[in-house]
Amino acid sequence: MLYGIIITLAAVFLGVRLALTRGAAREIAAGLEEKLNADTNTLISISGRDRAMRRLAGELNTHLKELQRRRRQYIQGDLELKNAVTNISHDLRTPLTAISGYLDLLDGEEKSETVQRYIQVIRNRTEAMTQLTGELFSYSVTVAQGEGERDKTETVVINRVLEESILGFYAALEEREITPEIHITEKKVTRRLDPSALSRVFANLLSNALKYSDGDLWVEMTENGEITFSNTAPGLDEVQTERLFDRFYTLESARKSTGLGLSIARVLMERMCGTIAAQYWKGRLYLRIALPEEDVCSQ
């Protein structure tokens, strides 16, 4: 009888101990998930007094402190790099503007055919550098703006912004002898977002079509707000298409490309909680964007 009581008490004790250990394990798991997913300096804490579980929590906290230190170090280094890129690209503008001015002065002077050819080469290189520094400055500013930019939103009619963007590229498309085929839904599609950011996305996609198109452009917007830009692109393939959003990635067939336009478009789309994707199929490039019907960023 006594042995039965002892066994029962031992079983109850072990059951309680096991329940407390499981509770502590759940607390540690929940705390670890919270610390890894949130930008916080707090550490894991548990209510139980089990030495093994408290030791485990302590070891995890040691690793969390190191992870938090490295995260702060990375953020600081990333910010410094972005600021350096912004400052460098800004500083390059002054000498490039001066070079362009002197080239304009040289155009008014007498010169041989050889000198004229050299001047044209210098001008072409200068224009390429000017475009690159401009895009670099724009990219660094865009990625450094931060989460607060999401607050600058208003109700925007997507159809209207898309139409205005296409009209803004009319002259450039005409110069390339591209007559766009446009299919925009008559239903008014509205979203709450930054209209200037959306215009920049459309402009970058249209600019991309000018670089890669083989003479055509197809634009479609559906009632659910999905927009597709498509053009024949014989110089592309599926592997290259997957890299189009990489910074500074360009193709030899691209005309005056810096490799930053689609990267900027992706950053802006993510900031508006939208999506952008590229697909290559049967010799055509498809760039598709979609914007959420609600402000999911605030959820």
Side-chain angles (χ1 to χ4, degrees):
M1 183 71 177
L2 179 60
Y3 288 114
I5 295 174
I6 292 174
I7 291 174
T8 301
L9 290 175
V12 171
F13 174 79
L14 290 174
V16 172
R17 184 70 179 271
L18 180 60
L20 292 174
T21 301
R22 287 179 174 176
R26 286 193 294 269
E27 285 183 295
I28 290 174
L32 181 60
E33 182 179 4
E34 177 190 356
K35 309 314 175 193
L36 291 176
N37 294 331
D39 185 11
T40 175
N41 291 324
T42 59
L43 299 175
I44 298 172
S45 61
I46 58 175
S47 57
R49 296 183 174 276
D50 185 276
R51 291 182 179 180
M53 300 308 292
R54 295 184 73 85
R55 189 182 305 114
L56 174 60
E59 291 177 358
L60 288 173
N61 283 333
T62 299
H63 292 295
L64 276 175
K65 288 179 182 178
E66 177 63 17
L67 181 62
Q68 290 164 357
R69 184 188 68 80
R70 293 187 179 184
R71 178 185 292 172
R72 290 193 297 268
Q73 197 174 46
Y74 168 78
I75 293 174
Q76 181 62 29
D78 188 53
L79 180 61
E80 290 176 357
L81 176 60
K82 290 173 182 175
N83 290 335
V85 170
T86 302
N87 293 333
I88 291 171
S89 58
H90 184 270
D91 292 341
L92 283 173
R93 289 180 171 186
T94 300
L96 287 172
T97 301
I99 292 172
S100 298
Y102 281 114
L103 288 172
D104 290 338
L105 292 174
L106 281 173
D107 280 340
E109 301 292 332
E110 281 191 35
K111 47 195 171 293
S112 66
E113 188 174 322
T114 301
V115 171
Q116 178 64 41
R117 187 171 68 253
Y118 289 162
I119 289 176
Q120 187 58 44
V121 172
I122 296 172
R123 184 180 294 279
N124 291 340
R125 297 295 186 270
T126 303
E127 289 177 354
M129 278 293 296
T130 301
Q131 182 181 7
L132 177 58
T133 54
E135 287 294 322
L136 187 60
F137 180 79
S138 178
Y139 179 81
S140 59
V141 169
T142 299
V143 298
Q145 282 177 334
E147 302 297 321
E149 293 299 308
R150 290 176 179 165
D151 297 331
K152 297 181 180 180
T153 62
E154 59 184 75
T155 300
V156 177
V157 180
I158 309 296
N159 320 50
R160 186 178 305 158
V161 177
L162 179 58
E163 291 169 357
E164 292 174 353
S165 298
I166 296 173
L167 286 174
F169 272 77
Y170 177 79
L173 291 169
E174 189 176 51
E175 184 179 348
R176 287 282 323 282
E177 298 182 352
I178 297 176
T179 302
E181 185 176 345
I182 304 169
H183 303 276
I184 299 178
T185 178
E186 295 183 359
K187 177 185 176 182
K188 184 184 293 185
V189 180
T190 61
R191 297 286 189 274
R192 285 200 60 83
L193 45 77
D194 183 346
S196 62
L198 183 62
S199 296
R200 183 65 187 275
V201 170
F202 289 154
N204 287 6
L205 295 184
L206 288 165
S207 178
N208 184 78
L210 288 172
K211 296 169 188 173
Y212 296 108
S213 175
D214 197 32
D216 70 311
L217 174 62
W218 183 73
V219 182
E220 180 187 43
M221 176 177 175
T222 62
E223 292 185 357
N224 61 5
E226 293 185 0
I227 304 164
T228 302
F229 292 76
S230 174
N231 56 267
T232 55
L236 280 174
D237 56 40
E238 293 182 2
V239 175
Q240 292 170 327
T241 300
E242 292 179 357
R243 297 193 59 193
L244 286 178
F245 296 105
D246 293 351
R247 288 174 294 181
F248 303 111
Y249 180 73
T250 61
L251 301 176
E252 291 182 2
S253 59
R255 301 170 179 84
K256 298 181 179 179
S257 176
T258 63
L260 287 171
L262 291 182
S263 295
I264 292 174
R266 181 176 61 180
V267 171
L268 293 174
M269 286 300 298
E270 290 174 352
R271 186 160 295 157
M272 293 185 288
C273 294
T275 60
I276 181 168
Q279 180 185 15
Y280 189 76
W281 188 62
K282 292 186 177 180
R284 294 188 67 84
L285 171 65
Y286 295 85
L287 291 171
R288 295 187 175 89
I289 67 174
L291 292 158
E293 296 187 9
E294 299 179 353
D295 185 12
V296 298
C297 295
S298 62
Q299 295 180 357

